[in-house]
Amino acid sequence: MSQVPETIFSKIIRREIPADIVYEDELAIAFRDISPQAPIHILVIPKKVIPRLSESAADDQALLGHLLKVVQQIAAQEKLDKGFRVVINNGEDGGQTVDHLHLHLLGGRSLGWPPG
Ligand code: DGP
């Protein structure tokens, strides 16, 4: 099997570089985005390195569902009662800059639509 290249997010998982971690379980970890685009901007990532959603495998289905349930839990933890947005940037046109699947949880202000 070919090796999946690691990113800075693997270093965060291994605590090799600091991050403001708000949630962790055996499958996922969540931390505040270094460049927040909203008062609450948290990245939820799988510990397994999946470069992007479009490269996820059939047997990642439960893990992908788990990530959404983690978002739900953190949104409640962060008291985002008025709403929030979940974004997955995929690939170049999607604006993805880190090749480790991540869900952006954005909230704490009214968010515009459509995105840029
Ligand atoms: P995307 O453009 O969807 O690939 O988003 C990548 C996000 O990752 C971007 O919003 C900035 C964030 N980010 C990049 N490097 C770091 C880091 O070292 N620490 C933290 N906390 N966030 C990072």
Side-chain angles (χ1 to χ4, degrees):
M1 213 169 95
S2 65
Q3 196 77 16
V4 181
E6 284 192 352
T7 70
I8 193 119
F9 289 176
S10 291
K11 292 187 167 49
I12 289 175
I13 293 167
R14 292 196 297 265
R15 306 292 204 281
E16 290 170 9
I17 62 164
D20 186 355
I21 293 167
V22 299
Y23 176 92
E24 183 169 20
D25 63 28
E26 68 281 7
L27 297 174
I29 191 165
F31 49 90
R32 294 190 194 278
D33 195 292
I34 205 167
S35 175
Q37 303 301 310
I40 303 294
H41 187 172
I42 290 166
L43 302 174
V44 178
I45 73 171
K47 289 186 173 174
K48 174 183 175 185
V49 181
I50 301 171
R52 52 188 55 80
L53 182 62
S54 58
E55 292 177 30
S56 63
D59 66 3
D60 291 326
Q61 186 164 335
L63 175 58
L64 295 175
H66 179 70
L67 296 174
L68 284 174
K69 293 303 284 182
V70 170
V71 166
Q72 178 189 9
Q73 191 172 322
I74 297 170
Q77 198 174 294
E78 297 289 327
K79 304 192 180 355
L80 296 176
D81 309 327
K82 289 180 72 182
F84 56 86
R85 183 170 295 163
V86 185
V87 173
I88 299 175
N89 295 327
N90 188 102
E92 192 181 346
D93 276 3
Q96 183 176 6
T97 59
V98 179
D99 288 342
H100 184 135
L101 174 65
H102 48 283
L103 286 67
H104 295 259
L105 167 59
L106 297 145
R109 68 169 168 83
S110 180
L111 298 161
W113 190 264

